[in-house]
DNA sequence: AATCTAAACGGACCTCGGTCCGGATCCTGA
DNA sequence: TCAGGATCCGGACCGAGGTCCGTTTAGATT
């Protein structure tokens, strides 16, 4: 499989030692040309790099995407790779961005039930299935950007928590797919998510706790408490 | 804050070049002494290393936990750290294991509503809140073991997906905390989770899709669609 | 066309995670 | 008590990610 990607979201042009923060452009799906006026040679090299990276993924898997290898395959200096994408994760993200933008376009302007026109619940169902399938492909690429995420889920102590939740769920909703439901609930408790919501979005912990209570009620179809 | 941890789950004694796979001991909360009979010096060094790592976390934050620094602080060779914990993540996991075991003990044998005795729904609610609070502390440690997880959530293309789900949810359940609900739903679509369930647990993708449909029904309190 | 400046380039260099193997150390069994 | 051998230790070594800065080049201005 070949990941041919050329135009994608870029990082700011490397303001010496300033963390490459991602621009807050949300839902700006202006169909390409979101490049912040790169110089000609820069744009050319960027394209080369993405093309080379895609080729390397296709040939040697995501683990073969070494920054030096990409640089060499693109006939470019190593520093250029980092200036353009910040770091390895940034490069992989840029590769992923391609299909991400595609899915985005599909549910923003595509045909129903994914796109506008169908009732919201239908759209939500279709969205999940589409996202699920998209992730199922390029799993290697996604995981390459999250080296440790898979290990976490396999760790005994987390497994124990999942098992506990599963057992409780079986007592409450015996007819449901409790293994999956437990995973869904546990996802809400993911430390990374907690960090994002509290530290980056500024939500107080109390709100998250209330959210959990509500989530449990919904998942188990029980009455909202008090 | 000091993380004093000594006895925790260990890796097998390093069978040359064999991936240190985590033993399938589930729910074995035999309150300590799960050490697989380490040699005296090995056990001593293990304790030293965990103590040193905890001190480093307390002093310089999780990012200060360099394998070499830990080794030196414990007056031990670098190779010893890796032999004992496999890799940096393994070391951090071992540090985390302490509070994980504690939570585990709490809901397995502690007082209600967390422990046995309360109705399952109550226990589930209490469990989430407890887990939420536990994660809120040691966030730095958790994130150190998942370097890229937080970035992923902040990435524009993922934000766009979350926003879309949020908007749909607002149309379906205007009274809910749709931001949080959207995050919970998106958690189910996390690539790492998909990988774990399909590749490691052997679930077919169809089951995950059915799980999504069901999850949406529950989250929105709509009728299960046949 | 000549010039000038900001931006991009390249690759030497550094750090740190991870590996390897000769040598030291601990436990067993006699 | 004393081999003998399995286990463990230590630190030199390697590779890949990430940084720095002197040099080159695009492209605007005159």
């Amino acid at each position: 499989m070949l990941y041919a990607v050329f135009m994608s979201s870029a990082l700011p042009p490397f303001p010496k030692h300033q963390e490459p923060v991602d621009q807050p452009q949300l839902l700006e799906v202006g169909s390409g040309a979101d490049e912040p006026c790169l110089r000609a040679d820069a744009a050319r090299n960027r394209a080369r790099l993405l093309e080379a990276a895609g080729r390397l993924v296709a040939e040697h898997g995501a683990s073969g995407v070494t920054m030096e290898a990409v640089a060499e395959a693109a006939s470019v200096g190593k520093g250029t790779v980092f200036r353009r994408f910040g770091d390895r994760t940034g490069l992989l993200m840029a590769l992923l961005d391609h299909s991400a933008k595609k899915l985005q376009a599909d549910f923003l302007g595509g045909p129903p039930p994914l796109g506008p026109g169908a009732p919201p619940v239908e759209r939500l169902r279709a969205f999940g299935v589409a996202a699920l399938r998209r992730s199922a492909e390029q799993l290697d690429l996604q995981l390459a950007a999250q080296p440790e995420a898979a290990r976490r889920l396999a760790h005994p102590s987390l497994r124990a928590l999942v098992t506990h939740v599963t057992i409780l769920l079986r007592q409450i909703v015996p007819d449901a797919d409790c293994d999956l439901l437990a995973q869904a609930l546990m996802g809400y408790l993911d430390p990374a998510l907690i960090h994002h919501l509290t530290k980056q979005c500024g939500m107080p912990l109390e709100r998250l706790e209330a959210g959990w209570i509500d989530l449990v009620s919904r998942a188990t179809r029980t009455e909202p408490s008090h």
Side-chain angles (χ1 to χ4, degrees), chain A residues 42-222:
Chain A
R44 174 177 48 82
N45 282 342
R46 182 191 159 82
R48 267 196 198 171
L49 284 168
L50 282 171
E51 192 269 341
R55 201 169 55 230
L56 285 180
V57 169
E59 286 173 7
H60 308 116
S63 67
V65 182
T66 276
M67 298 307 259
E68 272 177 292
V70 172
E72 187 179 8
S75 307
V76 138
K78 192 175 168 185
T80 303
V81 190
F82 284 92
R83 188 175 330 95
R84 200 51 54 204
F85 298 102
D87 56 10
R88 194 181 124 100
T89 302
L91 174 58
L92 297 178
M93 297 262 225
L95 275 180
L96 254 2
D97 247 24
H98 184 224
S99 71
K101 286 266 167 57
K102 187 167 169 300
L103 175 60
Q104 207 172 328
D106 279 351
F107 67 65
L108 277 183
L114 210 52
V121 193
E122 289 305 321
R123 293 186 68 188
L124 191 53
R125 293 199 172 107
F127 169 81
V129 173
L132 223 39
R133 287 180 184 161
R134 178 181 82 89
S135 286
E137 319 164 0
Q138 6 159 304
L139 258 192
D140 52 343
L141 215 45
Q142 300 266 182
L143 293 179
Q146 308 255 329
E148 309 293 0
R151 275 184 62 185
R152 190 183 115 85
L153 294 173
H155 193 269
S157 71
L158 186 56
R159 295 286 294 265
L161 302 191
V162 174
T163 302
H164 179 242
V165 171
T166 307
I167 291 174
L168 289 181
L169 282 175
R170 274 204 242 279
Q171 300 175 26
I172 306 172
V173 282
D175 294 339
D177 190 337
C178 293
D179 292 289
L180 285 185
L181 210 49
Q183 294 288 358
L185 288 181
M186 289 302 295
Y188 185 86
L189 302 177
D190 180 25
L193 179 58
I194 297 176
H195 171 261
H196 179 247
L197 293 180
T198 58
K199 298 289 160 58
Q200 297 181 358
C201 300
M203 294 187 187
L205 194 59
E206 291 74 31
R207 184 172 169 192
L208 295 198
E209 293 178 4
W212 169 261
I213 303 294
D214 181 51
L215 185 60
V216 168
S217 299
R218 294 178 183 273
T220 60
R221 293 186 189 281
T222 56

Side-chain angles (χ1 to χ4, degrees), chain A residues 24-40:
Chain A
Q25 42 98 259
L26 244 274
L27 290 180
E28 177 218 310
V29 68
S31 73
D34 47 339
E35 295 293 291
C37 55
L38 283 174
R39 228 171 66 174

Side-chain angles (χ1 to χ4, degrees), chain A residues 14-27:
Chain A
F14 233 56
K16 289 275 180 174
H17 266 207
Q18 176 181 329
E19 189 67 17
V21 63
D22 35 27
Q23 55 276 35
Q25 42 98 259
L26 244 274
L27 290 180

